Amino acid sequence: MKITIENLQLRYGKFTAIDNMNLEIGDHESVVLLGKSGCGKTSTMRCIAGLEEPTAGRITIGDTVVFDAEAGINIPPHRRNVGMVFQSYAVWPHMTVFENVAYSLKVQGLGKAETANRVHEALELVGLEDFASRGASLLSGGQMQRVALARSLVMRPDVLLLDEPLSNLDARLRDRLRIELREIQLQLGLTTVYVTHDQQEAFALADRIALMQNGVIVQMNSPSAMYLEPASAQIAHFLGVSNVHPVTAGASGTYTVTDTDLTLASAGLEPVGAGELHACFRSEDIRLSSTGAPGANSWRGTVRVSSFQGSTIRYAVEVASGMPDLDILAPLSAAERFQPGDSVWVTMDAGAVQILPQDAPLIQERAGVAA
Ligand SMILES: Nc1ncnc2c1ncn2[C@@H]1O[C@H](COP(=O)(O)OP(=O)(O)O)[C@@H](O)[C@H]1O
Ligand SMILES: [Mg+2]
C-alpha cells in the first residue's frame, strides 16, 4: 500500500528531528532510510506508525490520511495496520514461539483454527515452522528476530516498518537474514520501510534508498544509482568512497588537488551544488605500477603500508606531502606487488573520478544512471 509523506516536521522542543520531509513510497515498494545515527530515521518511522505526533505535515497510507496536522487528524497506531520490527528482540520470553506469534490474533478474537493456520503460515515464511512449541527464551538472537517478524506478518499489515532489525546479530547471520528478508518482502509484495545506518544492508534490501542527513532527505535513488552517482562528497564518503580530496577547478574539465601540483581529469557529470569541490575516487579503481609518466590522473608516489586482505591487498600510498595517503585496493592477482618504501606510479581512468560539491544540493531524484 502506498505511503505519502508531505511536508513532515517533527520537533522535540526546539530541536528539529525531521525537517519538511516529502517522500512517496510506492505500493509493494521497499524503501530504505539510510543515514548516520541521529539523522532522524527512527523518528520518521515512529511518525508513520503513529507512535510520535509530528509538529506539521500529512501522512497518507493507501487512501487513508492517518495524520494531518492542519486538519487535526491523528489515527492511533493500532488502527493504522502497520507492522513494526525493532532492533531489540521484542519477544515474550515466558511464551512459546506459537504463543508469541498468536498473541495479537487472540487479542483480536480470531478463532482457534484460523489462528493456528495463520501462525503456521507466518512461521513457515520466516523458517521457524519446526519451532512452534519451543519456549521463546531458548531461542538465539536470529531466531528471536524471526519470531518478531512472524508476529508482524501474522497481522497481514498493509505496511511493514523495520528499524535496524539485524544490527544486534553477528555479521554472518546478518548477511543471511538480509537475503531472507528481501525474499519475504518480494514474495508478499509488502510495502516496507527499512531503517539502517549500514549501506550494504541498504543496497541489498532497497528498491530505492532515501539518504538522510540532519533530518532531511538529501538523495533518493535506486541502490546502483546511489552507488554510481552520489550527490555530494559527504555522501560519497558515507557510501564507502575512501579517497576524497579537495580540488580547484582549472581549464576545461581539469582539476588540481588543493595545495599540491597533482592534476586530475574527470569524465563525470559537471558538479552542481554548494561548497568546495572534491575529487572522489574508489580504492579499487586505482592502479599501481612500477613504471609510468607524469600527467593528469598519473602520479608518482611511495608505498607506506601494504596489508594482505585475502583476495585483495590494501595499500596506503603517499603522493604529496601534507595530503592524506591514497587508499588503494589491488587484486591479489595483480602483476606486481609492492612493499613499504617502494616507488610507484598511481593511475586511474577519468571515468573513475567524480568531482562533487562538499554538500548535496537538495535534489530528490538525480537524473542519470538507471537501476
Ligand atoms: N524523545 C526525544 N526527545 C528529544 N530528542 C530526541 C527524542 N528522540 C530522538 N531525539 C533526537 O532526534 C534526533 C533523531 O533521532 P532518531 O530519529 O532516533 O535518529 P536515528 O534513528 O537516525 O539514529 C537525534 O538527535 C535524537 O537525539
Ligand atoms: Mg534509530
Side-chain angles (χ1 to χ4, degrees):
M1 205 169 268
K2 191 169 115 177
I3 306 173
T4 309
I5 296 175
E6 294 164 276
N7 307 316
L8 188 72
Q9 187 199 56
L10 174 68
R11 285 200 181 152
Y12 298 111
K14 281 192 174 156
F15 178 76
T16 304
I18 304 171
D19 197 8
N20 196 31
M21 175 185 286
N22 287 284
L23 174 62
E24 199 165 303
I25 298 161
D27 195 15
H28 309 305
E29 191 181 26
S30 166
V31 164
V32 173
L33 303 179
L34 171 67
K36 284 184 200 157
S37 172
C39 71
K41 305 181 298 293
T42 296
S43 300
T44 306
M45 286 290 221
R46 291 176 58 83
C47 288
I48 299 172
L51 300 170
E52 209 73 67
E53 186 173 346
T55 32
R58 178 158 52 179
I59 302 172
T60 312
I61 300 178
D63 296 324
T64 311
V65 176
V66 294
F67 179 82
D68 189 328
E70 271 178 31
I73 297 170
N74 192 7
I75 294 182
H78 64 274
R79 288 185 36 225
R80 294 193 183 190
N81 203 17
V82 161
M84 282 196 87
V85 179
F86 301 96
Q87 178 175 345
S88 54
Y89 312 132
V91 299
W92 292 294
H94 58 285
M95 294 185 188
T96 64
V97 167
F98 183 95
E99 287 162 347
N100 261 282
V101 179
Y103 184 82
S104 300
L105 295 179
K106 220 167 163 184
V107 170
Q108 278 193 345
L110 208 70
K112 241 185 175 171
E114 172 77 4
T115 300
N117 276 341
R118 278 177 57 175
V119 170
H120 283 121
E121 188 186 282
L123 289 178
E124 201 161 24
L125 269 171
V126 301
L128 283 183
E129 59 270 38
D130 297 332
F131 289 78
S133 56
R134 169 127 6 147
S137 61
L138 302 174
L139 299 175
S140 68
Q143 289 166 335
M144 284 198 207
Q145 279 310 59
R146 288 173 201 266
V147 173
L149 181 61
R151 225 169 48 186
S152 290
L153 294 176
V154 84
M155 299 305 289
R156 300 191 175 149
D158 294 326
V159 167
L160 186 62
L161 307 179
L162 302 124
D163 192 352
E164 315 231 15
L166 306 182
S167 47
N168 282 341
L169 306 176
D170 68 61
R172 209 173 279 247
L173 188 57
R174 207 156 56 216
D175 287 352
R176 207 174 71 213
L177 268 179
R178 187 188 283 166
I179 294 169
E180 287 182 27
L181 269 178
R182 182 63 167 157
E183 277 172 0
I184 292 171
Q185 188 260 330
L186 291 172
Q187 187 185 341
L188 300 180
L190 264 175
T191 304
T192 57
V193 186
Y194 189 101
V195 159
T196 182
H197 62 274
D198 175 341
Q199 71 266 22
Q200 294 308 332
E201 207 159 291
F203 288 152
L205 285 165
D207 292 316
R208 285 186 305 154
I209 296 174
L211 202 131
M212 290 186 70
Q213 282 173 359
N214 305 319
V216 173
I217 296 175
V218 289
Q219 188 172 0
M220 177 105 201
N221 265 134
S222 70
S224 61
M226 187 77 81
Y227 180 86
L228 293 171
E229 286 187 20
S232 74
Q234 266 194 59
I235 294 174
H237 185 68
F238 179 72
L239 294 177
V241 176
S242 52
N243 300 289
V244 178
H245 302 280
V247 295
T248 314
S252 60
T254 64
Y255 300 85
T256 308
V257 179
T258 306
D259 295 331
T260 74
D261 53 9
L262 303 174
T263 56
L264 276 162
S266 168
L269 301 173
E270 276 295 300
V272 280
E276 198 178 8
L277 294 179
H278 287 73
C280 306
F281 39 96
R282 295 183 174 274
S283 52
E284 62 269 30
D285 290 337
I286 309 177
R287 290 179 302 271
L288 283 181
S289 168
S290 53
T291 57
N297 303 349
S298 181
W299 309 335
R300 219 187 157 81
T302 306
V303 174
R304 283 163 38 79
V305 183
S306 147
S307 62
F308 178 73
Q309 302 197 143
S311 61
T312 54
I313 300 178
R314 172 156 255 136
Y315 296 101
V317 174
E318 183 178 6
V319 285
S321 66
M323 179 175 157
D325 291 342
L326 297 185
D327 177 44
I328 298 169
L329 208 52
L332 194 62
S333 58
E336 295 178 288
R337 282 197 211 168
F338 303 96
Q339 301 303 322
D342 285 355
S343 192
V344 289
W345 285 90
V346 169
T347 57
M348 53 210 151
D349 297 334
V353 180
Q354 285 175 310
I355 307 293
L356 298 171
Q358 170 68 12
D359 298 307
L362 288 179
I363 299 177
Q364 296 255 317
E365 304 271 355
R366 268 167 79 90
V369 187

